Amino acid sequence: MIKLVIFDLDGTAVDTLESLAYSVNRVMKRLGLREMPVENFKYYAGDGARKMIKRCLKDAGDPTASHLEAALKIYREEFKKGCTYHVKPFPELTETLEDLREYGVFLAICTNKGQPYAEAVIKKVYGKNMFDYILGEGSGFPRKPKPDGALHIAEHLGVTPEECVYVGDTNTDMKTGLAAEMYTVGVTWGFRTREELESFHPDRVIDRPQELLDIQM
């Protein structure tokens, strides 16, 4: 019986693509580099701010990422203001989360986004009471794909890994869920392709949030 569903944040629980592109492109502009298309951030994001900015720098005119440390410093300034820029839920997701709560299932977030930013995004999109636990970077656990954060959430809520579903949209998430020995679900409404998700052999890949309700609760 499923007692806990853990969601990745960016591209899974919340559509944050515009906020990431907006904030990073302000960094690129301040450094005199090219601003990159919003769609590019589907590839740049997913492994934390450092890797996202490093990937963007290479495409923006800094192939050796020589501006990385300066860019990270500016990004921290910009993202304080831009982390909630145009963030929104994916279609059907709010209703699906409400249905899961009605089933008595715990809901949690496990993300490589910094803790204060994760909390701000979730509060803006879903309010304070939708999720039982939010764990972001800076909480004292290794970043995904290490499973430590997901396992901590389960332990904190008194749930075994076998009673958990881990939901995400990137290869990092598939590695995380499988390493935690949780039922792992890839979602195609986020940042990466079905082919990428399926190549890691998750338990299931879904196209719509309501398909989560088909899993045995």
Side-chain angles (χ1 to χ4, degrees):
M1 180 178 179
I2 300 304
K3 296 182 179 179
L4 166 63
V5 182
I6 302 175
F7 292 84
D8 168 55
L9 179 59
D10 297 305
T12 302
V14 182
D15 184 351
T16 58
L17 195 63
E18 287 191 57
S19 70
L20 297 172
Y22 173 79
S23 298
V24 177
N25 276 330
R26 286 181 66 85
V27 176
M28 297 301 113
K29 185 175 182 179
R30 286 175 63 176
L31 291 172
L33 297 169
R34 291 193 301 273
E35 296 180 47
M36 304 309 296
V38 172
E39 283 296 305
N40 284 32
F41 287 83
K42 289 184 176 181
Y43 163 72
Y44 300 152
D47 297 293
R50 175 175 286 270
K51 284 193 176 181
M52 175 177 64
I53 292 172
K54 188 174 183 179
R55 289 164 178 163
C56 187
L57 282 170
K58 289 181 177 180
D59 288 348
D62 180 11
T64 63
S66 61
H67 291 82
L68 180 58
E69 297 307 321
L72 282 166
K73 182 177 180 180
I74 298 171
Y75 177 74
R76 285 189 283 270
E77 298 172 10
E78 293 292 349
F79 206 51
K80 286 179 182 178
K81 300 174 285 185
C83 70
T84 60
Y85 178 81
H86 289 186
V87 294
K88 56 186 180 293
F90 289 98
E92 297 184 356
L93 190 50
T94 302
E95 296 83 358
T96 299
L97 294 173
E98 291 171 347
D99 288 341
L100 288 169
R101 290 195 67 86
E102 285 189 15
Y103 283 127
V105 176
F106 289 120
L107 301 177
I109 295 290
C110 184
T111 177
N112 284 336
K113 187 187 287 291
Q115 184 72 29
Y117 307 129
E119 291 175 358
V121 168
I122 290 297
K123 182 179 178 181
K124 179 169 183 178
V125 176
Y126 295 112
K128 295 181 178 180
N129 300 317
M130 183 70 83
F131 288 89
D132 300 287
Y133 201 99
I134 300 170
L135 189 147
E137 188 172 25
S139 301
F141 297 93
R143 288 192 2 242
K144 299 182 297 181
K146 295 288 187 181
D148 305 51
L151 291 170
H152 168 74
I153 293 170
E155 181 179 10
H156 178 82
L157 294 172
V159 177
T160 67
E162 294 77 18
E163 296 171 319
C164 298
V165 174
Y166 185 91
V167 185
D169 69 307
T170 70
N171 66 79
T172 298
D173 293 309
M174 301 303 93
K175 294 174 186 175
T176 302
L178 294 170
E181 299 185 349
M182 298 175 177
Y183 188 94
T184 302
V185 178
V187 304
T188 62
W189 60 77
F191 292 169
R192 304 292 174 81
T193 64
R194 172 179 284 272
E195 288 72 23
E196 176 177 310
L197 300 171
E198 289 180 341
S199 70
F200 288 88
H201 307 292
D203 295 285
R204 189 169 178 182
V205 176
I206 63 175
D207 300 311
R208 297 175 56 200
Q210 288 185 343
E211 293 179 68
L212 287 169
L213 304 177
D214 298 334
I215 300 170
Q216 185 64 44
M217 297 297 168

